Amino acid sequence: MCYFSTLFFNTIRMKKLFSLLFLFSLLLVRAQNEQLAANYYDRGEFEKALLNYEDLLKTQPGNFNYFYRVIECYQQLQQYEKAEKALVTQITKFKQGGTVVELGYNYQLQKDQNKATKYYDDAIERINKTPAEVYGIAYQFEKRGLIDYALKAYQLALQKEPNFKFNYQMALLYGQKGDMEMMIEMFLVDSYSNPQNLIMIQNQLARFMTEDSSVTFNELLKKALLTRVQKSQDIFWNQYLSWYYTQMKEYGKAFIQEKAIYKRNPDTFANIVNLAQLAIEENEPEVAKEILEFVLANTKDLDLQIQSHAYLMQLKIDHATEKDFPSIDSELDNLIKEFGVSPFSLALLKIKSHFATFQLKNPELGKQILKNTLEMPLDKYQVAEIKMELGETLLFEEKFNQALIYFSQVETDMHNDVLGQEASFKTAKTSYFKNDFQWANHQLKVLKSASTQLIANDALDLFLLISDNTVEDSTQVALKKFARADFLLFQKKTSDALAAFQTILKEHKGEPIEPVALLRIGKMYEAQNDFTSALSQYKQILDNHKECIYIDEALYFSAEIYNQLKDFDNAKPLYEALIMNHEDSIYFVNAQKKYRQLRGDKDI
């Protein structure tokens, strides 16, 4: 009895297994046939695509994707009567408004606009009776590029059912029409009524702000936001306007909105501190200082206070001369004393260590601070940051191998993090400094595709520097001198670095190293506010090295100096030359914006 029972259940199991295998094989065959049909369609082989889609439709008569592909194949082959017959049958069977739109479009392809309009109007009338049909009908209108009809469908549905939400879809349609004002209006309405869509909508707006060839869109968006800020007391619109100014890199104006938000909602400073960081990154120190001082005057949060003080101290260091060093050193000591030595004051301790090493030329003190810090209970990110700083300090001392040990540890511990990529770049740069160019380029090849654009750009620049100066000089004599000059620059031994670069210009004139040496010297003069000398270096690149890869930088840096000096007549043609001839430059977008301003376009 037990034997027959076991046999019975095993037989049942085998039948189920065979059924599953059969079903799986059917699905696999169908997927392969669908892929084949799609490939034929994409290649424009519509007769073959039609045969495959007709076969697929026989296996699944209710599959609308297959059905519409069959119709599209008929239309591509100008078999309009077959398409019409199939569409009429489908309408009779499923009674869907979207198919009525497609029937109208089939007549439009035959240049029979009267019949096409009749069916389009019939589809719209269906929404009048059954508003829920709008989804399929509006989609089909949009698919066929019938934007006005799609908008009409949504508008009628909203009249019938005011609770429907189509602002986002309608905004995109207005954008396709080129009606920027209505697009902005619908996006802003949807932002307010559906805050969960805010990020998605702002991403769409940012795309238009970047891609729009004129400044009209930016003006319309700003006007719409300003109007709402003035008419409403809701801080939502202040936040929106702050976002707009941040996108336009007008951080001072964004700060005005953030202050207005703070007055009505003083719970958080997060956006304000982030704004200060952006201003620092975009080289607007005065705006950043104003923001940070506002934070310090209005918060009792210790973390925010430490963070703000750290940013302010770094700003002071970045713009200090040697005579300022004693007061900065004293101020750092007082801040560390005030907030204590702990993981909470890590930002201040890092700045103190770096300042001691690179400005005061006291790497022993810098190392001592960092080694003491590593004794504290830190998380893995904090440990990695301190090890990176310790590696930099050892590099300053020309202890290359010891520095590489710390950078490699961070690479290993943070290999899936941006910090790990930064450590990889420092490893490559250390190899470059010690003239191990082959190993440096091996690492830089990988980093050229780093997820962080800044690291990727820096890696590409260094890779090209090494490659370009190895082709014609296999002994790399000039490159070794250049790496040494770069190392002196890293050590902030400015006078020695400048002298080293100038020596390279004298001894290797006409060689591939010349334009990049001119570029380095130009940037050093800029840092000293010696703009005349900086412009002279860039002009030599523009005049004598027209085919080199540094032309876009020479153009942009020169234009920026003239712009800063308010010599707009000289700045404008330099921006224009970059825009016209260097579309792939990382400075293209900024140059385009500056050029429009100088050309006299309205405020963007």
Side-chain angles (χ1 to χ4, degrees):
M1 183 72 177
C2 184
Y3 167 77
F4 288 110
S5 175
T6 302
L7 184 63
F8 173 76
F9 284 115
N10 284 340
T11 303
I12 296 294
R13 288 194 192 97
M14 290 300 292
K15 284 183 178 179
K16 285 183 178 180
L17 180 60
F18 283 126
S19 297
L20 287 171
L21 288 171
F22 179 70
L23 181 60
F24 177 75
S25 63
L26 283 178
L27 291 172
L28 185 62
V29 169
R30 186 179 298 156
Q32 290 172 338
N33 290 342
E34 186 175 348
Q35 184 63 49
L36 183 63
N39 286 339
Y40 282 134
Y41 186 90
D42 292 339
R43 293 203 302 262
E45 298 181 39
F46 298 112
E47 290 181 351
K48 293 179 181 178
L50 177 60
L51 290 172
N52 281 273
Y53 278 120
E54 284 177 335
D55 287 342
L56 287 165
L57 191 60
K58 286 174 186 175
T59 63
Q60 283 186 288
N63 189 310
F64 289 99
N65 290 329
Y66 296 157
F67 172 76
Y68 278 114
R69 271 301 170 94
V70 167
I71 297 300
E72 287 163 10
C73 287
Y74 284 145
Q75 290 167 344
Q76 290 287 347
L77 296 167
Q78 298 185 2
Q79 297 177 8
Y80 301 118
E81 290 184 6
K82 286 186 177 180
E84 180 182 348
K85 183 179 177 181
L87 287 165
V88 170
T89 302
Q90 189 84 345
I91 292 167
T92 304
K93 187 175 181 181
F94 293 103
K95 299 180 172 40
Q96 286 195 327
T99 317
V100 176
V101 173
E102 190 61 31
L103 182 57
Y105 184 71
N106 198 59
Y107 281 112
Q108 184 172 315
L109 290 173
Q110 299 173 72
K111 305 288 191 286
D112 190 340
Q113 195 57 47
N114 289 333
K115 280 192 176 180
T117 302
K118 173 188 176 301
Y119 283 107
Y120 295 156
D121 291 341
D122 284 351
I124 294 292
E125 184 57 31
R126 283 171 173 259
I127 297 171
N128 204 26
K129 295 175 182 175
T130 312
E133 281 220 63
V134 67
Y135 295 99
I137 291 170
Y139 170 78
Q140 203 64 26
F141 276 133
E142 185 178 353
K143 180 182 172 184
R144 289 309 189 182
L146 301 164
I147 306 303
D148 287 329
Y149 273 107
L151 284 167
K152 190 175 180 181
Y154 283 130
Q155 288 160 352
L156 179 59
L158 286 170
Q159 287 176 21
K160 295 294 178 180
E161 292 288 346
N163 290 329
F164 279 166
K165 293 181 177 14
F166 298 127
N167 293 318
Y168 184 83
Q169 293 90 328
M170 292 173 73
L172 293 174
L173 290 169
Y174 280 119
Q176 290 181 51
K177 278 188 69 177
D179 189 341
M180 296 295 139
E181 197 163 0
M182 279 303 297
M183 183 186 83
I184 289 168
E185 177 65 23
M186 301 307 292
F187 269 143
L188 295 186
V189 168
D190 196 52
S191 296
Y192 191 76
S193 58
N194 297 298
Q196 69 274 12
N197 290 345
L198 180 62
I199 301 297
M200 182 170 62
I201 291 168
Q202 287 181 337
N203 286 339
Q204 287 285 352
L205 293 171
R207 184 171 62 83
F208 278 92
M209 290 163 74
T210 302
E211 294 180 359
D212 193 60
S213 59
S214 73
V215 298
T216 306
F217 177 81
N218 299 331
E219 293 171 3
L220 289 171
L221 179 55
K222 181 169 70 173
K223 181 181 176 183
L225 289 169
L226 283 169
T227 300
R228 283 167 167 79
V229 167
Q230 290 161 3
K231 288 183 178 179
S232 171
Q233 293 299 306
D234 197 321
I235 63 171
F236 177 85
W237 298 114
N238 297 96
Q239 291 167 335
Y240 223 126
L241 190 55
S242 174
W243 169 84
Y244 168 83
Y245 284 131
T246 301
Q247 296 298 305
M248 302 305 295
K249 299 185 179 180
E250 297 179 12
Y251 302 113
K253 292 179 180 178
F255 179 46
I256 291 170
Q257 298 305 314
E258 291 297 335
K259 282 194 289 187
I261 295 164
Y262 170 75
K263 287 178 182 177
R264 280 175 277 169
N265 183 19
D267 291 339
T268 178
F269 276 95
N271 286 344
I272 299 180
V273 174
N274 289 340
L275 194 60
Q277 189 174 8
L278 287 171
I280 292 169
E281 290 171 0
E282 292 296 328
N283 198 27
E284 292 193 24
E286 293 306 315
V287 174
K289 183 180 176 184
E290 183 186 359
I291 296 171
L292 293 166
E293 287 176 346
F294 175 82
V295 173
L296 289 172
N298 290 279
T299 186
K300 293 181 180 178
D301 185 294
L302 284 178
D303 283 340
L304 285 176
Q305 286 181 7
I306 292 170
Q307 191 178 2
S308 299
H309 276 301
Y311 283 140
L312 281 170
M313 291 308 303
Q314 192 59 58
L315 279 173
K316 286 183 181 180
I317 293 168
D318 290 343
H319 296 85
T321 58
E322 196 167 339
K323 66 180 177 60
D324 302 316
F325 291 170
S327 62
I328 290 174
D329 192 40
S330 177
E331 192 172 350
L332 276 169
D333 286 340
N334 289 335
L335 285 170
I336 291 169
K337 185 178 179 181
E338 178 184 349
F339 292 106
V341 176
S342 74
F344 296 104
S345 59
L346 192 65
L348 291 170
L349 293 168
K350 275 179 61 186
I351 290 172
K352 170 67 179 178
S353 168
H354 198 86
F355 182 74
T357 299
F358 287 88
Q359 273 77 25
L360 302 181
K361 312 304 180 191
N362 187 354
E364 287 303 321
L365 175 58
K367 283 191 294 186
Q368 190 59 52
I369 293 168
L370 295 171
K371 287 178 178 178
N372 290 342
T373 303
L374 283 174
E375 298 297 320
M376 296 190 294
L378 306 177
D379 63 35
K380 62 182 276 189
Y381 286 95
Q382 292 171 324
V383 169
E385 287 176 12
I386 297 302
K387 284 186 176 181
M388 287 274 277
E389 190 63 44
L390 195 47
E392 293 248 300
T393 306
L394 290 162
L395 186 54
F396 175 89
E397 295 183 295
E398 302 191 43
K399 295 176 180 176
F400 299 115
N401 292 333
Q402 290 183 46
L404 285 169
I405 289 170
Y406 282 103
F407 294 146
S408 299
Q409 286 177 3
V410 177
E411 271 187 275
T412 303
D413 295 341
M414 309 297 291
H415 65 281
N416 289 325
D417 191 87
V418 172
L419 205 55
Q421 291 186 343
E422 189 180 337
S424 297
F425 180 68
K426 289 186 185 296
T427 300
K429 199 154 190 181
T430 302
S431 300
Y432 160 71
F433 285 148
K434 63 184 290 200
N435 294 343
D436 189 353
F437 302 125
Q438 186 175 358
W439 179 240
N441 256 13
H442 174 73
Q443 294 164 304
L444 293 166
K445 278 182 184 178
V446 178
L447 286 168
K448 285 190 296 179
S449 58
S451 58
T452 304
Q453 193 60 48
L454 183 61
I455 294 174
N457 289 338
D458 288 345
L460 179 60
D461 286 346
L462 188 53
F463 178 83
L464 291 173
L465 170 67
I466 295 171
S467 302
D468 290 351
N469 290 281
T470 301
V471 174
E472 294 184 21
D473 180 12
S474 59
T475 58
Q476 301 168 322
V477 174
L479 184 59
K480 288 172 183 176
K481 293 177 184 178
F482 194 90
R484 181 61 191 175
D486 258 351
F487 183 68
L488 292 169
L489 199 55
F490 164 78
Q491 290 179 306
K492 300 194 186 303
K493 295 178 179 178
T494 309
S495 300
D496 293 341
L498 182 57
F501 284 123
Q502 288 171 335
T503 299
I504 291 169
L505 288 183
K506 290 176 186 175
E507 296 177 353
H508 299 276
K509 191 167 183 62
E511 296 181 24
I513 204 77
E514 186 179 2
V516 67
L518 288 166
L519 196 71
R520 287 285 200 279
I521 294 170
K523 290 308 290 180
M524 292 178 74
Y525 281 134
E526 265 195 78
Q528 297 168 10
N529 292 325
D530 185 351
F531 298 127
T532 302
S533 296
L535 286 167
S536 172
Q537 308 304 309
Y538 301 146
K539 190 173 189 303
Q540 290 184 61
I541 298 173
L542 297 174
D543 291 345
N544 304 321
H545 302 277
K546 298 182 187 297
E547 302 302 318
C548 80
I549 60 173
Y550 305 103
I551 284 285
D552 64 318
E553 291 173 282
L555 286 168
Y556 185 73
F557 297 154
S558 299
E560 287 287 277
I561 291 174
Y562 282 124
N563 204 7
Q564 187 177 338
L565 297 174
K566 302 193 184 306
D567 184 351
F568 304 131
D569 289 339
N570 274 315
K572 184 179 170 184
L574 291 165
Y575 285 130
E576 185 177 16
L578 191 150
I579 294 164
M580 298 300 292
N581 302 312
H582 302 278
E583 289 186 12
D584 57 345
S585 171
I586 60 173
Y587 303 104
F588 178 82
V589 173
N590 281 343
Q592 196 174 47
K593 178 183 174 184
K594 301 281 179 69
Y595 176 70
R596 288 171 180 169
Q597 290 173 331
L598 295 180
R599 191 174 58 187
D601 294 344
K602 292 181 181 179
D603 178 33
I604 58 174

